[in-house]
Amino acid sequence: MGPRRKSTKTQLASGGAANPYRLEEPKDYINELSHEVLCHIFRYLPMQDIMCMECLSRKLREAVTLYLRVVKVVDLCASRWWEYMPSGFTDCSFLMLLKKMPDLEQLYGLHPRYLERRRVRGYEAFSIPGVLEALQACPNLLGVETSHLELVEAIWNYMPQVHILGKFRNRNGAFPIPPENKLTIPIAAKIQTLHLVGVNVPEIPCVSMLRHLYLKWVRLTKPQPFKDFLCVSLRTFVMRNCAGPTNSLKYVPLVTGLASARNLEQLELVRVPFLGGLIQHVVEDSWRSGGFRNLHTIVFGACKNALEVDLGYLIITAARRLHEVRIQPSLTKDGVFSALKMAELEFPQFETLHLGYVDEFLLQCKMSHSELVKYGLADVIENPGIITDIGMKAVNEVFSSIKYLVIYNCPHLHNPHKWITDHSRWSRLVDLTLVRCHAIKLESFSQFIELLPSLEFISLDQMFREPPKVSPLNSTMITRLDSWPLN
């Protein structure tokens, strides 16, 4: 046997040539960056990722500490307002986090999935008192974004100087309204947008900063919930299917308060039993000082006592800025549009008209009418709109620049080609939706379509079907056309 060869390890140890295929360790570029550069990078990362970096290296931990020391705006949900904040927080850990941010001014994304109402001795939990303690540890805190009903009420009570940022939307709304969902709104509440769904509220007070108020499935528990209502900065007011007073007179302060909001742009009233003729009188008293003149959206749906003059006065007052009108079936009649035609108004910005408007909740709800009334909603039964071809011709002449037209359950329409006149041809109409207008004749509809030069979309649902014939021997009269079978 020949002499034994030296191993490769021995050769490398004695200064032999290195293996060319050996991989060098990757260079750590992150730790070579300065603290200032790392802090600048952290501005574009979610807070959860920033906190995870504390465990990677000593330099990153130092950079995170420096960043938190000077940060002024923090978002716990990474700008995704519909999500919940990271789970796993306790009172102690949340307090430790906010103590690292002495200059914090705005805290967004405070959307906990669950909060204990009280602290429990010997149990590490995430509670409302713990969150308040952590917030109070930030001396420069100006505003907080949250969606938790009890937490926002606690902030109003114990930290009244703090603003509620963004749009407050509670996330546990439902119908029937859960009894545990409660909110008391103080007069000094610093909030601009309040969107409540399925909440018990004693009253709507005078909130000077409030700009947008959405009430859906809200139960107003006090006998006179609008007694002190006055929101002069209000731009949007939406009240849909709320359980409030049954006495129409108790809605007088609501309408007069809305008239004082000179910048009101959107008004939606669905199943609100205000006094018939009330809006007409309030408009007469306030239009000279700017009441309702900036409206661009008007919605009336299932308002039991609403009169044609209420709707007409609003439309006339807001003619210059009006974009959209949705009209409930009881007001979808010839007289409304004949009167508007006689007023000889111009609607330069008008685009959308919905005739026979019925709220989606009422269309999709499986509860009976008696059940809805039992849960506090106004006692309203909607019949089909009674507008005829004559009224539609007036609609064409009044709203000549319309772009979007929806007609729902108007059984007295027959010949749509007669809606068009030589003076007005709806040259800008691009979207047409007809639902349950079974009496419209197919031949006339074909002629009508040919007269619309800009039409792009047509939606037809439950159309061109004959209504059931009533036997002359049957003495029972059919009064509800919307109850006809569709086969």
Side-chain angles (χ1 to χ4, degrees):
M1 294 179 63
R4 297 174 65 182
R5 291 184 177 183
K6 294 182 179 180
S7 65
T8 307
K9 292 182 179 179
T10 308
Q11 293 178 4
L12 292 175
S14 61
N19 187 354
Y21 299 103
R22 184 180 178 183
L23 296 177
E24 296 183 2
E25 291 186 7
K27 195 173 183 179
D28 189 355
Y29 293 100
I30 295 296
N31 277 321
E32 291 186 0
L33 298 176
S34 65
H35 289 101
E36 290 77 10
V37 173
L38 289 173
C39 289
H40 184 76
I41 294 174
F42 291 162
R43 294 171 54 191
Y44 302 95
L45 297 179
M47 178 54 62
Q48 188 174 6
D49 294 345
I50 296 174
M51 299 309 300
C52 291
M53 289 186 179
E54 276 191 316
C55 306
L56 298 180
S57 69
R58 185 178 64 181
K59 184 162 188 177
L60 283 175
R61 183 171 65 250
E62 294 172 353
V64 170
T65 302
L66 180 61
Y67 173 76
L68 295 180
R69 195 176 300 165
V70 298
V71 70
K72 294 186 178 181
V73 180
V74 170
D75 192 339
L76 299 176
C77 288
S79 300
R80 298 176 179 178
W81 58 265
W82 61 91
E83 292 189 356
Y84 289 98
M85 60 186 290
S87 58
F89 275 113
T90 63
D91 291 346
C92 291
S93 62
F94 193 63
L95 177 61
M96 289 178 58
L97 174 62
L98 292 195
K99 279 186 174 180
K100 296 178 181 179
M101 309 177 190
D103 291 340
L104 183 64
E105 296 181 355
Q106 297 178 346
L107 179 62
Y108 289 88
L110 185 55
H111 305 304
R113 191 176 295 273
Y114 179 75
L115 277 179
E116 297 283 351
R117 293 185 178 180
R118 299 176 181 86
R119 285 174 168 157
V120 180
R121 182 176 297 178
Y123 175 66
E124 281 293 329
F126 200 29
S127 66
I128 294 176
V131 173
L132 286 178
E133 181 184 359
L135 295 178
Q136 290 170 345
C138 302
N140 299 321
L141 187 65
L142 299 178
V144 174
E145 181 193 48
T146 184
S147 59
H148 197 280
L149 284 171
E150 294 177 81
L151 179 58
V152 75
E153 187 169 345
I155 292 174
W156 283 337
N157 291 333
Y158 296 101
M159 304 179 69
Q161 77 282 1
V162 173
H163 292 249
I164 303 302
L165 303 175
K167 300 178 180 179
F168 178 88
R169 302 182 181 92
N170 65 295
R171 301 189 176 186
N172 54 349
F175 187 87
I177 303 169
E180 64 274 11
N181 285 3
K182 300 177 182 179
L183 181 67
T184 300
I185 308 171
I187 296 177
K190 293 188 176 182
I191 186 170
Q192 291 190 353
T193 301
L194 185 60
H195 193 155
L196 300 179
V197 179
V199 183
N200 296 278
V201 178
E203 61 181 348
I204 308 296
C206 172
V207 183
S208 59
M209 291 185 60
L210 194 62
R211 292 187 179 184
H212 308 280
L213 179 59
Y214 301 83
L215 304 175
K216 180 180 179 181
W217 305 335
V218 171
R219 178 180 287 111
L220 301 162
T221 57
K222 280 194 174 182
Q224 295 187 0
F226 305 108
K227 180 182 65 173
D228 299 320
F229 176 78
L230 183 65
C231 302
V232 293
S233 302
L234 204 63
R235 295 185 179 180
T236 303
F237 181 80
V238 178
M239 187 173 179
R240 292 175 173 269
N241 302 300
C242 294
T246 56
N247 188 342
S248 300
L249 291 174
K250 294 184 178 180
Y251 292 87
V252 173
L254 171 64
V255 178
T256 55
L258 292 173
S260 65
R262 299 295 186 254
N263 295 318
L264 187 65
E265 297 176 349
Q266 182 176 351
L267 176 62
E268 298 189 19
L269 302 175
V270 177
R271 219 176 180 108
V272 181
F274 60 85
L275 186 66
L278 171 63
I279 292 181
Q280 172 199 355
H281 292 293
V282 173
V283 171
E284 286 179 335
D285 294 338
S286 64
W287 73 272
R288 290 182 179 84
S289 57
F292 301 111
R293 300 193 71 171
N294 290 314
L295 282 176
H296 62 63
T297 300
I298 300 173
V299 177
F300 275 21
C303 294
K304 182 178 181 180
N305 305 314
L307 300 179
E308 296 94 323
V309 290
D310 294 322
L311 175 63
Y313 269 63
L314 280 179
I315 293 177
I316 291 173
T317 304
R320 281 184 149 184
R321 297 179 179 268
L322 199 59
H323 290 189
E324 179 180 359
V325 174
R326 282 177 266 172
I327 306 174
Q328 64 191 48
S330 63
L331 300 179
T332 303
K333 52 180 65 175
D334 296 352
V336 173
F337 301 102
S338 298
L340 292 175
K341 178 183 175 182
M342 294 177 62
E344 297 182 352
L345 296 170
E346 292 185 358
F347 299 86
Q349 302 184 41
F350 192 81
E351 293 185 344
T352 305
L353 178 64
H354 190 145
L355 300 176
Y357 170 74
V358 178
D359 186 60
E360 292 181 1
F361 170 67
L362 301 179
L363 293 175
Q364 300 172 0
C365 183
K366 296 181 180 179
M367 295 184 182
S368 64
H369 172 71
S370 58
E371 288 178 308
L372 294 176
V373 174
K374 181 183 71 173
Y375 287 119
L377 300 192
D379 185 2
V380 184
I381 297 179
E382 283 282 17
N383 293 311
I386 60 174
I387 192 169
T388 66
D389 293 332
I390 298 175
M392 288 304 302
K393 183 178 179 181
V395 170
N396 181 20
E397 295 175 349
V398 172
F399 302 116
S400 57
S401 60
I402 192 172
K403 286 186 176 181
Y404 310 96
L405 176 63
V406 181
I407 305 176
Y408 177 82
N409 198 15
C410 294
H412 299 284
L413 300 178
H414 299 278
N415 300 301
H417 76 278
K418 295 183 178 179
W419 305 349
I420 304 297
T421 65
D422 294 334
H423 302 288
S424 179
R425 291 183 171 272
W426 273 339
S427 58
R428 299 179 61 195
L429 184 64
V430 296
D431 194 321
L432 175 65
T433 301
L434 300 177
V435 182
R436 300 185 70 176
C437 301
H438 56 76
I440 287 182
K441 299 176 181 178
L442 181 57
E443 182 179 357
S444 176
F445 181 75
S446 301
Q447 298 177 25
F448 172 64
I449 296 301
E450 294 177 356
L451 299 174
L452 304 175
S454 302
L455 191 63
E456 297 179 5
F457 304 98
I458 303 176
S459 176
L460 304 176
D461 186 12
Q462 304 177 41
M463 294 288 295
F464 310 120
R465 298 183 181 184
E466 291 295 331
K469 296 180 180 179
V470 182
S471 171
L473 299 178
N474 188 357
S475 58
T476 304
M477 298 296 293
I478 295 180
T479 58
R480 290 285 308 278
L481 295 179
D482 59 351
S483 64
W484 286 354
L486 299 173
N487 50 8

